[in-house]
Every structure is written in C-alpha cells, then in structure tokens.
Amino acid sequence: MNFSKSAEKGAKLTFKDLEGIGNAIVKQDPQYAVPYFNAKEIKNMPASYTVDAQTGKMAHLDVWDSWPVQDSVTGYVSNYKGYQLVIAMMGIPNTPNGDNHIYLLYNKYGDNDFSHWRNAGSIFGTNENNVYQEWSGSAIVNDNGTIQLFYTSNDTSDYKLNDQRLATATLNLDVDDNGVSIKSVDNYHILFEGDGFHYQTYDQFTNGKNRKNDDYCLRDPHVVQLENGDRYLVFEANTGTEDYQSDGQIYNWANYGGDDAFNIKSFFKLLNNKKDRELASLANGALGILKLNDDQTNLKVEEVYSPLVSTLMASDEVERPDVVKLGNKYYLFSATRVSRGSNSELNAKDIKIVGDNVAMIGYVSDNLMGKYKPLNNSGVVLAASVPANWRTATYSYYAVPVEGHPDQVLITSYMSNKDFASGEGNYATWAPSFIVQINPDDTTTVLARATNQGDWVWDDSSRNDNMLGVLKEGAVNSAALPGEWGKPVDWSSINRSSSLGLKPHQPVQPKTGQPNQPNQPKTGQPNQPKIGQPDQPDKPAGKTSFDSKNSPVIPGYTFKEVQGNPSQPSNATNNGVINTSTNTGSKVNNGAVNSPELPQTGENNSQSQTMSFIGILLAIFGSLLGFLGIKKRRND
C-alpha cells in the first residue's frame, strides 16, 4: 500500500461555514427555514404500537431516524411488489441506557394515509438488549429481489462509550395481499470499523487525552449504486491520522474559510475562550466514503478513500449523510447541530432567538467522489424554525428524489425529540414531508408544500396545506400547542435524547449470543414476523495496526489517497459570502428559554499539526490590530 500524503483531500466545512449555518437559524430566512407545521394536526404513529424488541411485549414506541428501501440506481422509493418499505429506529421512551433498535414498516405504494402504515416488527427479533443496538443506515433492493440493509451496529459493553461500526444484512421478505413479513435475515456481518488513517478508530478515540469530552462517530452508512453496478457507502465518521484532530488545527488557515480579517479575529476569539478552543482542537467530523465489492448479498470493503467533506476545527458531528443524484450531479446532504460545533456564542444566539440549533447541510459535485461545493455558499439547506421542545420541532432530515422533478427533493424527518420532550404522551413520530427546490446556481429554496405525516412518495395526491402552521400563539393552525409558547427548554433532557441516552455498561456480557449477534426472536407475538436466525457475524475485513510511522496495515483493504473513479476531489476552500437577505421572516424570542450547556465533544492526541499560517499571521497582525480592536477586547 502506498500513501501519498500530498494528495488533495475533500471539501471542508469551515469555521466561516459554521457561522453561516448558525446565522441562517437566527435570521429565519424563509429560503432555509423548516416550514411551520400545524401542531394540532400532529398525531402519534399508530404503527409504533408494536412488540418491543427488548421486552417482547406490546408497547408504544418513539420513532425517529427512518429511511426507505430505495431503488438501487435511481434512489426513488422502491415499489416493492406493491408496497413501500421503510426501516426506522424505534424504542420505548425514557428507557435506562436506551432502547434503540430497527423495525420494518410498510404501506401500499403511493398510499399517503398515515394511519395505514403497518409494522412488520423488529428486524433482529425480540431478544434484543440495550448493550448491543442498531442505529441509522440505508437500504436498497438487490438484483435477486432481496433487501440489502446497511446500518450502524453499536456496542456499549465493557464500559464502551458507543463503539460504532458499519454493518450489513440481507432481508428475505414474504409479501402477499395481507402484508409484508420478514422471512429471514442472512449474511449479517460488520463491514468497517475505521482504518486509523482516513478514519478514526474506537481504539484511537479511547486512547485520547480527554476521552470524556470527545465525540466518536462511525455510523449512518448510506449506500450509493452507480449505473455500472459499483456500490459505495457514504458514512459519518471522524478523521484519522491523515488529518487528525489537535490543537494544531487552530493554526491551520484553511480551517477558517474567510478573509484575513475574519480568520484572525476568529483565531483570537478561540485563543481567548478556553471552552471553544478545546472544542475546536477536538472537532474532526467527516463525511466518509468507501467502495464495496460486487457480491451484493455478501459484501466486503474493497477500497477506502479520503473524506468527501471534513469539519476539522468547526464541528465534531455531521450526521446521516444522504446522496441524491439529480440529472448529472450528485447532492450530498447531512444533518447537524450548531451545538456540536466550536462556537458557543453562536449556539447561544440560536438558542436564545429560535430555541433550537439543528440544520441540514448540503454539497454538490459533478461526480460521486467530488470535489464537492457547498450549497448556498455555507452549505446550509435547512434551518431550525421552532424551539426544540415544541411538538412541531423536527430533526434527522433525509432527502428523497422526486420522480418527474429532477430539480426537487422531498425532505422527510421525525417530529418531537424523544422521551416526551414536548410533553407527556407526545411520542416521537414522523413529520409531514416538504419540498426543497434545487436551483441552477447551486442554491436551494424551501417550498411551503407540506404532506401528511410519513409521506415518502410525492405525487398529485401528496400536498396537504392543512398541515402547515403559523408562528402565532393561539392561532387555529399555530405551530405551538397550548402552553408551549415561552416554555423553558430542558436542555439536559434534549441533549440526552439527541445522544440516544446511552451510557457505558458494566463489563458483564449478555448470555444471549455473541456481541452484535442478533438473537433468535420469539415467535407468535402480535405483529411480530417469524424470523430465522441470522448468520454468525463474519470477522471484519481487518483491524488497523500501526507501525512507527502510524501507517495502517489492513488485510483486504486497498487505500487510495487520490480519490479515483469517477474523479479526484480537490481541496475546497469555501470563500463564499453567506446569504444576508433582509427578508428575515418571524423570529421567536422565548425569554424563558435557558442557555444550554454545550454537549461534550472530543479530543485526542494529534498525529500532525499544521502551522502553515503563523508566518502570515505575524506579518499582517500589526496592520490589522487597530481595525479589529483586539487591544480593547480579548474575546468577542
């Protein structure tokens, strides 16, 4: 294996971009703001009353991260023998150490009646536990008619703090006029657990100096199949030693993304804020990519590439990557939170004015492999519009292509944070979907065209503007339920919900099978399919070992610095001007909203430090000193 450390990397989400995303939330520009939904129309999902994967008993479950079974090439929601299929994370609210597993939901194709969705049950049966859990992913239809599922396998045993790995399994379904059931789950195995060079491993994370403040991510695999049949996974990760987190990243000019005045002002702002400086030194989020082999039902990793997008110094978490091909362009979307970034002042502003800090970001490229350019200059596509504890708060945005409309995507999400954040009895549920217009100049516009809750296929019958609301207290179609306006946000609860509520477990292994091994489900339960025992997990394709130069040696993997077919990405510097439209829309200032504590993010030892701009800094600092007013204020 040959490494060329001079090879160009992917795009960057810079400190300037983070500011643009946070300011888009503050300004509530309708071009980006998530539509207001009619709170009184929102219902709990009937299909979420089902057999729980951990207790084996009927229970009302929260439903959050969800994804459709999609056509392998077009990305459209698959018409699978007359049905549309969706896989969702679900669990009983307020369960100690979490209840996070994946379920198969289905409805007649094109049916947009929320009450018609049915639950085929937990994919891995009802002997699940809270030590080994399944998180978000994607799914497509194989050539033989089976469903190839990609998801996150999470391990919290032996005091582990969310050891996440990319996994896959093949679903065999029985389908008839009475519905869909799971016949068997085959070929379960781990695909990827980091390589150490391009992407941080769990061992690297645990060996960091400040583990308690670190955020480890290796999850949310999204499958993309090209017309020639090649399959790739795009996923959330943290960067490895190729470009690692460190205090030295603060001295890397490229991480700032602005002009000299902005960069220097931001640099000293970080130096004079201990908390933000630590967050900046730890932030190393990435949207990664790897190539799979051509065995659709027994997949292995063939090649691993540099990240498509990295967020060094700016953010430690960019979730649920989602690639949509429209025409000849590839659009890469991701959900994120400003609170996962390194600008606490910006996050506090979002919380004070709007009451939430969530957003969807997006990038565009002529090729799957890059180079990617941020949409709307900063990358912002959606901005939170209501407080996090309102019934109509949304997150986990997922874009689906709209058949017949190559310039639009349907945005799906879930509504209400988990664990009754918006009030007892208000379960997390699917939100109404809405349309985002993709403009020729690489900008986007939110269209106020809402659907019923849980509509994944946009057609002539989808639009239901009765689901739209207004930001007005007491209005018939208000976006707030009675009593929500001005209600303080319990950020400890919100942050706990957003991190899935998991804690390290005692080092006691369950007696029911191997780690990450789905257990034999109980049969005969209501709404519970009869599922065969999944295959024994294969050994992962290889674990990283490091020589004295920290070069990974991984059997079975071929690493390429220069991102190959279809093209080589280049290092993108985002110098665009953020949108400063004067059409700011309505602003919510809930005086009672409490300023949150930022979620803890990460730090590890740096393998390399970039000091590229110190000389420039010293040369121009004197001339800019008076302009920036640094003598008079040490911390903006």
Side-chain angles (χ1 to χ4, degrees):
M1 283 175 283
N2 295 318
F3 295 91
S4 172
K5 294 190 177 181
S6 63
E8 293 182 321
K9 311 301 188 299
K12 283 183 177 289
L13 187 155
T14 66
F15 202 69
K16 180 73 170 179
D17 295 334
L18 178 65
E19 182 182 80
I21 294 165
N23 284 339
I25 295 173
V26 169
K27 293 175 182 177
Q28 287 294 282
D29 188 331
Q31 181 178 355
Y32 313 121
V34 174
Y36 303 123
F37 298 115
N38 186 348
K40 293 180 181 178
E41 293 293 322
I42 302 305
K43 303 292 190 298
N44 293 330
M45 187 173 186
S48 66
Y49 180 65
T50 190
V51 178
D52 175 61
Q54 290 187 184
T55 67
K57 299 178 181 179
M58 293 291 291
H60 292 281
L61 309 183
D62 276 337
V63 54
W64 56 104
D65 291 8
S66 306
W67 60 95
V69 174
Q70 295 173 275
D71 179 87
S72 60
V73 175
T74 66
Y76 298 141
V77 175
S78 178
N79 184 341
Y80 191 80
K81 301 179 182 179
Y83 290 93
Q84 51 184 319
L85 310 174
V86 171
I87 296 166
M89 289 181 65
M90 302 173 70
I92 297 175
N94 294 317
T95 302
N97 291 324
D99 178 8
N100 308 295
H101 303 286
I102 53 177
Y103 295 70
L104 177 64
L105 300 157
Y106 65 93
N107 194 4
K108 287 288 188 180
Y109 186 84
D111 186 345
N112 54 23
D113 190 320
F114 188 49
S115 67
H116 290 175
W117 282 91
R118 298 167 67 186
N119 201 321
S122 167
I123 287 175
F124 293 117
T126 56
N127 285 333
E128 293 272 64
N129 56 63
N130 60 14
V131 177
Y132 303 109
Q133 304 194 358
E134 304 89 41
W135 292 1
S136 187
S138 61
I140 56 176
V141 182
N142 290 320
D143 292 345
N144 65 2
T146 58
I147 306 300
Q148 198 63 34
L149 168 65
F150 301 89
Y151 65 100
T152 308
S153 177
N154 186 59
D155 177 0
T156 64
S157 66
D158 291 344
Y159 297 108
K160 289 180 180 177
L161 188 61
N162 300 334
D163 183 1
Q164 303 151 57
R165 293 170 286 181
L166 310 185
T168 189
T170 306
L171 308 185
N172 295 282
L173 306 181
D174 278 334
V175 180
D176 56 31
D177 291 341
N178 295 320
V180 178
S181 61
I182 304 172
K183 183 179 180 181
S184 66
V185 181
D186 303 322
N187 301 325
Y188 164 88
H189 59 280
I190 300 298
L191 281 170
F192 187 61
E193 46 191 331
D195 60 81
F197 182 69
H198 296 301
Y199 305 106
Q200 186 181 36
T201 65
Y202 186 76
D203 286 344
Q204 287 174 309
F205 161 69
T206 57
N207 289 327
K209 289 190 303 182
N210 195 357
R211 175 185 170 182
K212 77 171 186 176
N213 291 328
D214 206 347
D215 187 17
Y216 180 68
C217 304
L218 186 62
R219 59 179 182 259
D220 305 345
H222 178 80
V223 61
V224 181
Q225 181 171 316
L226 303 183
E227 292 181 358
N228 65 3
D230 289 348
R231 287 183 174 180
Y232 295 80
L233 284 185
V234 178
F235 53 94
E236 176 189 5
N238 298 113
T239 61
T241 58
E242 175 185 33
D243 201 3
Y244 208 41
Q245 61 189 45
S246 71
D247 195 60
Q249 291 291 348
I250 296 172
Y251 301 91
N252 186 341
W253 194 259
N255 290 335
Y256 290 87
D259 58 19
D260 288 346
F262 172 86
N263 294 351
I264 294 177
K265 180 180 178 181
S266 300
F267 171 73
F268 280 98
K269 186 176 183 178
L270 290 175
L271 288 185
N272 291 315
N273 185 317
K274 182 179 179 181
K275 185 175 186 178
D276 281 2
R277 176 172 181 168
E278 181 183 39
L279 293 173
S281 70
L282 311 175
N284 66 329
L287 299 178
I289 187 167
L290 58 79
K291 185 179 181 183
L292 300 168
N293 67 356
D294 59 3
D295 187 341
Q296 291 188 347
T297 59
N298 192 21
L299 292 158
K300 305 292 182 184
V301 174
E302 186 174 288
E303 297 178 2
V304 176
Y305 306 94
S306 298
L308 299 176
V309 179
S310 62
T311 65
L312 285 152
M313 203 196 77
S315 178
D316 214 21
E317 183 181 273
V318 276
E319 301 190 281
R320 296 204 76 197
D322 172 23
V323 175
V324 179
K325 186 180 182 185
L326 299 177
N328 294 320
K329 292 186 176 183
Y330 290 86
Y331 293 85
L332 170 61
F333 300 102
S334 173
T336 191
R337 301 173 188 269
V338 176
S339 60
R340 298 296 196 258
S342 51
N343 190 331
S344 57
E345 180 183 339
L346 180 67
N347 181 58
K349 188 187 300 183
D350 289 339
I351 299 307
K352 179 180 180 180
I353 295 176
V354 178
D356 204 354
N357 52 38
V358 301
M360 182 182 191
I361 56 176
Y363 299 81
V364 60
S365 171
D366 292 331
N367 298 282
L368 173 62
M369 306 297 288
K371 95 176 192 185
Y372 280 87
K373 173 185 175 182
L375 296 169
N376 304 308
N377 294 320
S378 67
V380 65
V381 175
L382 296 176
S385 55
V386 299
N389 62 343
W390 282 17
R391 181 57 163 151
T392 54
T394 55
Y395 188 56
S396 196
Y397 308 106
Y398 190 94
V400 179
V402 178
E403 192 166 2
H405 297 272
D407 58 350
Q408 295 180 352
V409 289
L410 184 70
I411 303 297
T412 63
S413 61
Y414 77 89
M415 182 159 282
S416 173
N417 282 278
K418 296 170 61 243
D419 301 335
F420 304 129
S422 64
E424 192 71 25
N426 290 333
Y427 288 83
T429 184
W430 282 349
S433 301
F434 58 95
I435 296 288
V436 165
Q437 177 80 34
I438 309 294
N439 303 317
D441 60 353
D442 294 334
T443 63
T444 62
T445 305
V446 174
L447 303 183
R449 300 176 187 172
T451 73
N452 290 336
Q453 290 174 255
D455 194 347
W456 294 81
V457 180
W458 177 271
D459 56 29
D460 293 338
S461 64
S462 292
R463 185 167 179 173
N464 181 3
D465 289 346
N466 290 330
M467 301 301 295
L468 293 173
V470 295
L471 199 64
K472 183 178 180 181
E473 186 175 10
V476 174
N477 58 339
S478 174
L481 291 173
E484 286 187 332
W485 203 279
K487 181 175 67 174
V489 179
D490 180 359
W491 283 101
S492 62
S493 175
I494 297 292
N495 293 334
R496 191 164 56 248
S497 294
S498 67
S499 64
L500 302 181
L502 295 182
K503 301 177 182 178
H505 287 69
Q506 297 290 336
V508 177
Q509 301 294 339
K511 298 178 181 179
T512 54
Q514 299 296 327
N516 293 296
Q517 172 66 25
N519 300 313
Q520 180 68 28
K522 300 175 183 179
T523 57
Q525 297 286 353
N527 296 320
Q528 175 63 31
K530 298 179 180 180
I531 310 175
Q533 176 74 14
D535 290 354
Q536 182 70 18
D538 295 344
K539 184 178 179 181
K543 294 185 178 180
T544 303
S545 60
F546 295 90
D547 60 20
S548 60
K549 296 183 179 180
N550 296 302
S551 296
V553 179
I554 304 184
Y557 291 166
T558 301
F559 295 93
K560 291 188 177 181
E561 277 297 306
V562 178
Q563 299 188 28
N565 182 23
S567 70
Q568 173 181 331
S570 62
N571 189 30
T573 303
N574 307 326
N575 294 319
V577 179
I578 62 172
N579 189 298
T580 56
S581 169
T582 56
N583 184 9
T584 57
S586 300
K587 298 180 181 179
V588 182
N589 190 340
N590 293 315
V593 172
N594 299 325
S595 297
E597 288 295 322
L598 279 176
Q600 299 294 323
T601 53
E603 175 178 348
N604 276 337
N605 287 328
S606 171
Q607 301 295 329
S608 62
Q609 293 189 351
T610 306
M611 306 291 290
S612 59
F613 84 103
I614 288 296
I616 300 173
L617 175 63
L618 293 174
I620 64 177
F621 172 65
S623 63
L624 290 175
L625 188 62
F627 171 75
L628 296 175
I630 293 174
K631 286 185 176 180
K632 295 182 179 179
R633 60 179 191 277
R634 291 174 55 82
N635 184 7
D636 285 65

